[in-house]
Amino acid sequence: MAKENFVEQIADIEADFPRWYTDVVVKTGLVDYGPVKGTMVIRPYGYAIWENIQSELDKRFKATGHQNAYFPLLIPMSFFTKEAEHVEGFAPEVAVVTHAGGEELAEPLAIRPTSETVFGSMYSKWIQSYRDLPVLINQWANVMRWEKTTRPFLRTSEFLWQEGHTAHSSEEEALDETMKMLGVYKEFAENCLAIPVICGRKTEKEKFAGAVATFGMEAMMKDGKSLQAGTSHYLGQNFAKAFDIKYLDKDGVQKYVYTSSWGVSTRLIGALIMAHGDNRGLNLPPVVAPVQVVIIPIAAKKGGVLEACAELKQKLVKEGVRVTLDDGEQSPGWKFNEWEMKGVPLRIELGPRDIENGKAMIFRRDTLEKTEYDLKNIEITVKDLLATVQKDMLEAARVRRDNRIAYADDINGILQGVEKGNFVKAGWCGSRECEDKVKAETAATARVFAEGETSCKCAVCGKKSAHTVIFARAY
Amino acid sequence: MAKENFVEQIADIEADFPRWYTDVVVKTGLVDYGPVKGTMVIRPYGYAIWENIQSELDKRFKATGHQNAYFPLLIPMSFFTKEAEHVEGFAPEVAVVTHAGGEELAEPLAIRPTSETVFGSMYSKWIQSYRDLPVLINQWANVMRWEKTTRPFLRTSEFLWQEGHTAHSSEEEALDETMKMLGVYKEFAENCLAIPVICGRKTEKEKFAGAVATFGMEAMMKDGKSLQAGTSHYLGQNFAKAFDIKYLDKDGVQKYVYTSSWGVSTRLIGALIMAHGDNRGLNLPPVVAPVQVVIIPIAAKKGGVLEACAELKQKLVKEGVRVTLDDGEQSPGWKFNEWEMKGVPLRIELGPRDIENGKAMIFRRDTLEKTEYDLKNIEITVKDLLATVQKDMLEAARVRRDNRIAYADDINGILQGVEKGNFVKAGWCGSRECEDKVKAETAATARVFAEGETSCKCAVCGKKSAHTVIFARAY
């Protein structure tokens, strides 16, 4: 048996978390390295997770009044210079097309690192009157940011994402939209990915280049580091002014619009892996798992076993469950390991004795518990169990995280906290100097403001605190 | 009333077909021109059509055993030179990234014009044994081909498409796959787009650069020109040898795989417009129409009208119909024109008298007929009508096309035929010289072989005919 164990190929999660991560992503067939440095190929098993993420999010975007569209990949370099902060933030990471169709281009073109500028240029054309507002458009697209250090899903030169871009007649409405979409992300992260997130405003240093304010959601990974899982930006009139997006208001006056943008990416797959995985490999929540249930025949060659398994599969398919019957030639033990590594939430084992007794054994990937259930109405049992697993995984992740939230009064406390793999809440005066000092001395960054919490003094300089901040080391 | 008529903004379809096309695509909000020459922005109404196309095709790909994945946008230029015909065909149209992250790249990178090479490089890594075959992967992606003359949807530097790439252990299986996917495209084009297509093999000149054989499907547009609506390529071992894709067969021998590739693109939206549109604008088949039914209240301010309309809408939503209630302030006549221009298959008019009589007027966009129906069970009526419209649109397009298929014995006959906007069937000896001569003298190209039909002599040189070919002017 031991020799058949796939899991031996994966590094120990406690001993070497980064290697555990790359082992898991590659060996479960989620991803492979592309031929160009820093790129990834998202393989079918990984892409199926992305399709489930897309379908869940897209439903929510449409339910909140957004429409999808598609804007061009290539953006004139000159567009970036129109918004001063934006160009400073993105120009260094841009990939540039200089030649096309056998000729040198008159103006170099950037492959979009994000699309505020090209949306801005079109919105300026489309928006004329208050009747045209709000404009609520999202796109699913690939983007490119040339990064020095890359890791599959977490940081790659090309990645897939969605980016919403909206335009409104008032500051209040644009801010409402910014917060509404942050709320959509949070609800999705918790109910679909089973990942509890902390949402809040980012510091000036950490905000999106060109935004008035950025709000992020932060998720704790199993090594205690934070992963920024999504952001929503209130852009004020910065892009409206840069791209001359004006409308004629009811009062006959030309006014600039207020805009927002918000996005999540294939990074979420990295979050799933690191929030739930363990030494057996992936551990996927049912809502986004490509395979929710695997059926493994025991003593498959005995009469009636494969037939009973196929019948069970049909029952589950009928109920809309994503189910696979593994009737391959490997031993049950080998299959157990393989499907556990792939993170399939439920495994049903069905052998001659089970069939005789009208029972089946169900294994839960999240708790590693095995329980016997009646075969009668098993499709109801399975659906209930999938819902339970989904809920329990969120709860387990929440407990893990909440046990690792610490408080600190000084920079040494922050250091000790993050060394232990905690999120550390501490007061901060609001100065860039103190923020930089935390980073230099602890390798932790200000993730988001802990909304509603107050500290009396800055953990760095001791002056009056302006915000309570969550500090953490981050991906 | 006249002043309110949107339709006046559209050029006459008989008088100026190309302008009619660009008027329709822009004025119905399908598309706009992007800031970079030759690029397009697919606006929400156009993108919703693409989403419906994607969903219908994706279902069919999965039902035939394919999985989705995502491969990188950027391909090392050196990959193209590995397959001699491929580089010759695609290098002139490639957009090239030379700088990224503030530095010049050691090797320039191509933005994919198609992905045989990058799939090939990964398949060579993934495929080891006969057990790994077949590999059946599809991706939905953007691609870029730098074109001199562009037109929205028909030919743009960037477009959206799907590309399937499969690897097999035998020639027979790879050829079966090639033909199977051509069949999937044909069934989809006819049953979803209501466009009859002629499928067949392409000449050497017209085949995909790097293929052994290309099979295409050709659709007739209302101006009698042909549009290549999809292609399926049998690649033999060309890419297997270029990228060293080998497997260990059951007999212990290392062998090259056989591959296929196949794709359709946002061009299909152009096909929809030109196959069904008319002087009122778009005319969309129900299966892919973003809005299948629009409800227009008559005398909306009269008590009970809007309520009855809203109730009707709910009934249809419940039945899964994509329905809009236009309760805007414009006159019913203005709304009629607008929604006709947008090609919505059915319009339901509901006023006080209709409600009193338990009736509603339904207008069919395809036949322009208006009929009164009982409000009782109207959701059933509407669903039946949508199915009828879908079927009738295909049939009408088939009659239009079949009336425009001509035969010719000589090159003058081909010229006369295509001048009248016909597809012309004629014998061809198989020589490149005769094929080129047809193009030079008639501006028509060999679209596909008319399978199963034989002609005795070549229409150009009079020698023995090798194939009957469909000649047409084409997009």
Side-chain angles (χ1 to χ4, degrees):
Chain A
M1 276 297 291
K3 268 198 189 153
E4 290 186 310
N5 193 347
F6 256 88
V7 181
E8 290 175 21
Q9 303 170 14
I10 299 178
D12 188 86
I13 191 169
E14 304 289 340
D16 190 346
F17 195 84
R19 229 200 90 205
W20 169 85
Y21 178 79
T22 47
D23 282 352
V24 167
V25 291
V26 171
K27 286 173 183 165
T28 59
L30 292 179
V31 89
D32 202 349
Y33 299 98
V36 175
K37 199 177 163 292
T39 64
M40 64 176 165
V41 178
I42 307 178
R43 299 185 70 168
Y45 196 61
Y47 197 80
I49 298 177
W50 183 240
E51 287 181 309
N52 292 335
I53 288 174
Q54 283 190 299
S55 128
E56 289 292 338
L57 278 173
D58 204 67
K59 243 179 355 202
R60 287 164 171 81
F61 296 159
K62 284 175 177 155
T64 44
H66 302 86
Q67 294 182 297
N68 288 331
Y70 186 77
F71 284 65
L73 175 76
L74 298 183
I75 302 178
M77 281 300 280
S78 58
F79 276 28
F80 285 91
T81 59
K82 294 193 183 189
E83 212 292 326
E85 276 189 17
H86 196 62
V87 66
E88 204 183 307
F90 284 102
E93 291 183 355
V94 153
V96 187
V97 177
T98 55
H99 291 72
E103 287 171 15
E104 186 167 355
L105 297 172
E107 180 181 4
L109 302 172
I111 298 183
R112 62 178 162 227
T114 179
S115 303
E116 279 73 11
T117 58
V118 66
F119 274 78
S121 77
M122 300 311 296
Y123 282 7
S124 140
K125 194 171 158 189
W126 297 342
I127 296 168
Q128 303 293 331
S129 143
Y130 68 92
R131 287 192 194 86
D132 301 325
L133 295 172
V135 176
L136 307 171
I137 297 183
N138 173 63
Q139 80 172 354
W140 293 94
N142 53 343
V143 283
M144 188 158 291
R145 297 176 187 178
W146 215 258
E147 304 271 5
K148 293 251 182 300
T149 324
T150 56
R151 201 126 39 119
F153 296 123
L154 301 178
R155 202 171 292 275
T156 48
S157 56
E158 182 188 7
F159 55 91
L160 303 182
W161 80 345
Q162 61 66 218
E163 46 181 326
H165 295 273
T166 69
H168 307 265
S169 56
S170 73
E171 176 170 18
E172 190 193 352
E173 199 185 296
L175 257 171
D176 276 355
E177 166 80 10
T178 310
M179 299 318 289
K180 184 203 281 177
M181 299 321 288
L182 188 71
V184 165
Y185 288 156
K186 183 181 167 75
E187 184 273 320
F188 161 79
E190 302 194 336
N191 293 333
C192 298
L193 307 181
I195 300 177
V197 290
I198 299 176
C199 291
R201 186 165 172 178
K202 298 241 157 205
T203 65
E204 280 300 295
K205 181 185 176 184
E206 300 287 336
K207 78 169 195 208
F208 176 78
V212 171
T214 288
F215 301 83
M217 66 175 184
E218 300 286 320
M220 184 184 276
M221 304 294 99
K222 280 207 168 167
D223 59 353
K225 284 168 82 174
S226 186
L227 183 139
Q228 177 176 296
T231 46
S232 189
H233 315 294
Y234 169 62
L235 306 173
Q237 295 185 319
N238 292 353
F239 287 89
K241 286 179 178 162
F243 288 90
D244 200 36
I245 318 173
K246 276 190 291 209
Y247 69 100
L248 189 67
D249 204 354
K250 285 177 194 165
D251 59 12
V253 178
Q254 288 278 347
K255 297 176 186 169
Y256 286 110
V257 301
Y258 297 80
T259 66
S260 91
S261 69
W262 30 273
V264 300
S265 75
T266 36
R267 227 181 180 219
L268 289 176
I269 302 175
L272 273 176
I273 299 163
M274 295 194 292
H276 301 301
D278 59 24
N279 268 329
R280 300 193 188 199
L282 291 173
N283 177 20
L284 296 172
V287 172
V288 294
V291 179
Q292 295 172 314
V293 176
V294 60
I295 302 170
I296 314 255
I298 309 294
K301 282 170 185 159
K302 289 266 170 71
V305 171
L306 277 180
E307 292 76 1
C309 287
E311 198 184 307
L312 173 56
K313 182 183 166 182
Q314 278 321 306
K315 265 191 198 166
L316 293 175
V317 166
K318 224 168 137 184
E319 291 291 316
V321 175
R322 296 189 289 271
V323 55
T324 289
L325 164 57
D326 186 349
D327 55 4
E329 286 177 4
Q330 298 88 346
S331 71
W334 187 94
K335 292 177 185 171
F336 291 178
N337 285 337
E338 197 199 9
W339 293 104
E340 283 173 22
M341 184 172 79
K342 286 193 163 249
V344 172
L346 296 180
R347 172 176 84 223
I348 308 182
E349 306 164 18
L350 200 58
R353 210 171 340 163
D354 301 304
I355 297 166
E356 212 180 289
N357 299 336
K359 304 278 185 185
M361 198 64 89
I362 302 187
F363 171 81
R364 277 179 65 167
R365 175 66 183 86
D366 65 327
T367 56
L368 309 178
E369 287 164 356
K370 227 171 171 170
T371 312
E372 200 177 64
Y373 291 94
D374 281 342
L375 267 174
K376 204 183 154 198
N377 294 330
I378 194 160
E379 64 277 18
I380 312 291
T381 307
V382 165
K383 287 184 76 172
D384 287 348
L385 268 175
L386 287 172
T388 304
V389 168
Q390 184 74 32
K391 206 165 49 70
D392 287 359
M393 284 183 75
L394 173 62
E395 204 36 43
R398 199 189 300 279
V399 168
R400 271 196 303 276
R401 183 198 63 188
D402 289 350
N403 284 336
R404 295 173 91 166
I405 293 183
Y407 292 82
D409 287 329
D410 55 28
I411 202 159
N412 195 40
I414 297 176
L415 178 64
Q416 287 181 343
V418 298
E419 289 271 315
K420 278 189 262 181
N422 289 331
F423 281 11
V424 182
K425 291 184 182 174
W428 172 56
C429 64
S431 79
R432 176 68 180 259
E433 204 186 334
C434 288
E435 189 179 1
D436 286 344
K437 204 167 172 197
V438 172
K439 173 137 197 220
E441 297 191 12
T442 70
T445 49
R447 304 314 305 156
V448 289
F449 296 159
E451 317 277 3
E453 297 194 41
T454 49
S455 304
C456 52
K457 68 181 187 71
C458 173
V460 185
C461 66
K463 284 187 195 145
K464 193 172 174 300
S465 164
H467 302 280
T468 298
V469 169
I470 296 172
F471 289 99
R473 291 177 180 163
Y475 281 94
Chain B
M1 277 299 291
K3 268 199 191 155
E4 288 188 310
N5 193 348
F6 256 86
V7 180
E8 289 175 20
Q9 303 168 12
I10 299 178
D12 187 88
I13 190 169
E14 304 290 340
D16 190 346
F17 194 84
R19 230 202 87 204
W20 170 85
Y21 178 79
T22 46
D23 282 353
V24 168
V25 292
V26 172
K27 286 173 183 165
T28 59
L30 292 179
V31 89
D32 202 349
Y33 299 98
V36 174
K37 199 175 164 291
T39 64
M40 64 176 165
V41 178
I42 307 179
R43 300 184 69 168
Y45 196 61
Y47 198 81
I49 298 177
W50 183 239
E51 287 181 309
N52 292 335
I53 288 175
Q54 283 190 300
S55 129
E56 288 292 339
L57 278 173
D58 205 66
K59 241 181 352 205
R60 287 164 171 80
F61 297 158
K62 285 176 176 154
T64 45
H66 301 85
Q67 294 183 296
N68 288 331
Y70 186 78
F71 284 64
L73 175 76
L74 297 182
I75 302 177
M77 281 301 280
S78 58
F79 276 28
F80 285 91
T81 59
K82 294 192 183 190
E83 212 292 327
E85 277 189 16
H86 196 63
V87 66
E88 205 183 308
F90 285 101
E93 292 183 355
V94 153
V96 187
V97 176
T98 55
H99 292 71
E103 288 171 14
E104 185 166 357
L105 297 172
E107 181 182 2
L109 302 172
I111 298 183
R112 63 180 162 227
T114 179
S115 303
E116 279 73 12
T117 58
V118 65
F119 274 77
S121 78
M122 300 310 295
Y123 282 8
S124 140
K125 194 173 158 190
W126 296 343
I127 296 168
Q128 303 294 331
S129 145
Y130 69 91
R131 286 192 194 87
D132 301 325
L133 294 171
V135 176
L136 308 171
I137 296 183
N138 173 65
Q139 80 172 353
W140 293 95
N142 53 343
V143 283
M144 188 158 290
R145 298 176 187 177
W146 215 258
E147 304 271 4
K148 293 250 181 301
T149 324
T150 56
R151 201 125 41 117
F153 295 125
L154 301 178
R155 204 170 289 277
T156 47
S157 56
E158 182 188 9
F159 55 93
L160 303 182
W161 79 344
Q162 60 67 218
E163 47 182 325
H165 295 273
T166 70
H168 308 265
S169 57
S170 74
E171 176 170 15
E172 191 193 352
E173 199 185 295
L175 257 169
D176 277 355
E177 167 80 10
T178 309
M179 300 317 291
K180 183 202 281 175
M181 299 322 288
L182 188 70
V184 165
Y185 286 157
K186 183 182 168 75
E187 183 273 319
F188 161 79
E190 302 194 337
N191 294 333
C192 298
L193 307 182
I195 300 178
V197 290
I198 299 176
C199 290
R201 187 166 171 177
K202 299 240 155 203
T203 66
E204 282 299 296
K205 181 184 175 184
E206 299 286 337
K207 78 168 195 210
F208 176 78
V212 170
T214 287
F215 300 84
M217 66 174 184
E218 299 285 322
M220 185 184 276
M221 304 294 98
K222 280 207 169 167
D223 60 354
K225 284 168 82 172
S226 187
L227 182 138
Q228 178 176 295
T231 46
S232 189
H233 315 293
Y234 170 61
L235 305 172
Q237 295 185 320
N238 291 353
F239 286 88
K241 285 179 179 163
F243 288 90
D244 202 36
I245 317 173
K246 276 191 290 210
Y247 69 100
L248 189 67
D249 203 355
K250 283 177 196 167
D251 58 12
V253 178
Q254 288 279 346
K255 297 174 186 170
Y256 287 110
V257 300
Y258 297 81
T259 67
S260 90
S261 68
W262 29 274
V264 299
S265 75
T266 36
R267 232 183 173 213
L268 290 175
I269 301 175
L272 273 176
I273 299 162
M274 295 195 292
H276 302 300
D278 59 23
N279 268 330
R280 300 193 187 198
L282 291 174
N283 176 21
L284 296 173
V287 172
V288 294
V291 179
Q292 296 172 313
V293 176
V294 60
I295 302 170
I296 314 255
I298 310 293
K301 282 172 187 158
K302 289 266 169 71
V305 171
L306 277 180
E307 292 76 2
C309 287
E311 197 184 310
L312 173 55
K313 181 183 167 184
Q314 278 321 306
K315 266 190 198 167
L316 294 173
V317 166
K318 223 168 137 186
E319 291 292 315
V321 175
R322 295 189 289 269
V323 55
T324 289
L325 163 58
D326 186 350
D327 56 4
E329 286 177 3
Q330 299 87 347
S331 71
W334 188 95
K335 292 178 185 173
F336 291 179
N337 285 336
E338 198 199 8
W339 292 104
E340 284 173 22
M341 184 173 80
K342 286 193 163 253
V344 173
L346 297 180
R347 172 177 82 225
I348 307 182
E349 306 165 17
L350 200 58
R353 209 171 340 164
D354 303 303
I355 297 167
E356 210 179 291
N357 300 335
K359 305 278 184 187
M361 197 63 90
I362 302 187
F363 170 81
R364 276 178 65 166
R365 175 66 183 86
D366 64 327
T367 56
L368 309 178
E369 287 164 357
K370 226 171 172 171
T371 311
E372 201 177 63
Y373 291 94
D374 282 342
L375 268 174
K376 203 183 156 200
N377 293 330
I378 195 158
E379 64 278 18
I380 312 291
T381 308
V382 165
K383 287 184 78 171
D384 287 348
L385 268 175
L386 287 172
T388 305
V389 167
Q390 184 74 32
K391 207 165 51 67
D392 289 357
M393 284 184 74
L394 173 62
E395 204 37 44
R398 199 190 299 279
V399 168
R400 272 196 302 277
R401 183 198 63 188
D402 289 351
N403 284 337
R404 295 174 91 166
I405 293 183
Y407 292 82
D409 287 330
D410 55 26
I411 203 161
N412 195 38
I414 297 176
L415 178 64
Q416 286 180 344
V418 298
E419 288 271 315
K420 277 189 265 182
N422 290 332
F423 281 10
V424 183
K425 290 183 180 176
W428 173 56
C429 65
S431 80
R432 176 68 180 260
E433 204 187 333
C434 289
E435 189 179 0
D436 286 344
K437 204 168 171 195
V438 172
K439 173 135 199 220
E441 296 190 14
T442 70
T445 48
R447 304 313 306 156
V448 288
F449 296 160
E451 315 279 2
E453 296 194 42
T454 50
S455 306
C456 53
K457 68 181 187 71
C458 174
V460 185
C461 67
K463 283 188 194 145
K464 193 171 174 302
S465 164
H467 302 280
T468 298
V469 170
I470 296 172
F471 289 99
R473 291 177 180 163
Y475 282 94

